[in-house]
Amino acid sequence: MDAQTLVDERGELWLALAPLWLEREPRETDFAHMVEVIQRHDLSVRELEWVFRLELAPVLARHQLSVAGEWRSFDDYQLMKQLVAHNLRLNGWRRKSWALFSGLTTMMTRHRWNELMGRVLVERGELP
């Protein structure tokens, strides 16, 4: 898959979910926007979990761990470049490695993700 295809297919979703890694807790409007974008992409909860764990967390967790990282907002252009570069390399052993370590890269945002997935299930009428 080429960079433009990645941006076309995932760019909106990635940028919508990026606030899960910001310093502040997402607001109701943030969650509502995330749910709206997720609904447009028509991915299963399982597929969304892998987007969270493999496509986003390895890049965005670095921002959380960096002393000079962005905590209040992201530069969408720079973030998209990082996400595309990561995802273009995400195959074979890299995919397996990130899957193995995804618990570490998602632990700081897992509570936010769980809240979001609960809202998605409610929106879809699929209460757990």
Side-chain angles (χ1 to χ4, degrees), residues 63-110:
H63 286 273
Q64 284 182 315
L65 298 174
S66 171
V67 174
E70 287 294 324
W71 279 93
R72 300 214 177 268
S73 66
F74 293 112
D75 175 329
D76 289 350
Y77 178 75
Q78 288 299 324
L79 180 59
M80 189 62 67
K81 281 178 37 179
Q82 293 169 345
L83 288 166
V84 167
H86 165 74
N87 282 278
L88 286 174
R89 292 187 309 266
L90 191 59
N91 52 41
W93 67 270
R94 281 190 175 99
R95 180 176 275 296
K96 291 175 184 169
S97 295
W98 283 119
L100 180 64
F101 293 107
S102 65
L104 294 172
T105 59
T106 60
M107 72 179 167
M108 292 174 63
T109 56
R110 178 55 68 179

Side-chain angles (χ1 to χ4, degrees), residues 4-15:
Q4 187 59 52
T5 303
L6 270 174
V7 170
D8 293 344
E9 289 182 6
R10 290 283 206 252
E12 179 190 32
L13 182 63
W14 289 341
L15 292 179

Side-chain angles (χ1 to χ4, degrees), residues 18-31:
L20 293 171
W21 279 267
L22 291 177
E23 173 183 36
R24 63 172 173 74
E25 288 296 317
R27 296 180 291 262
E28 287 299 318
T29 55
D30 296 325
F31 278 123

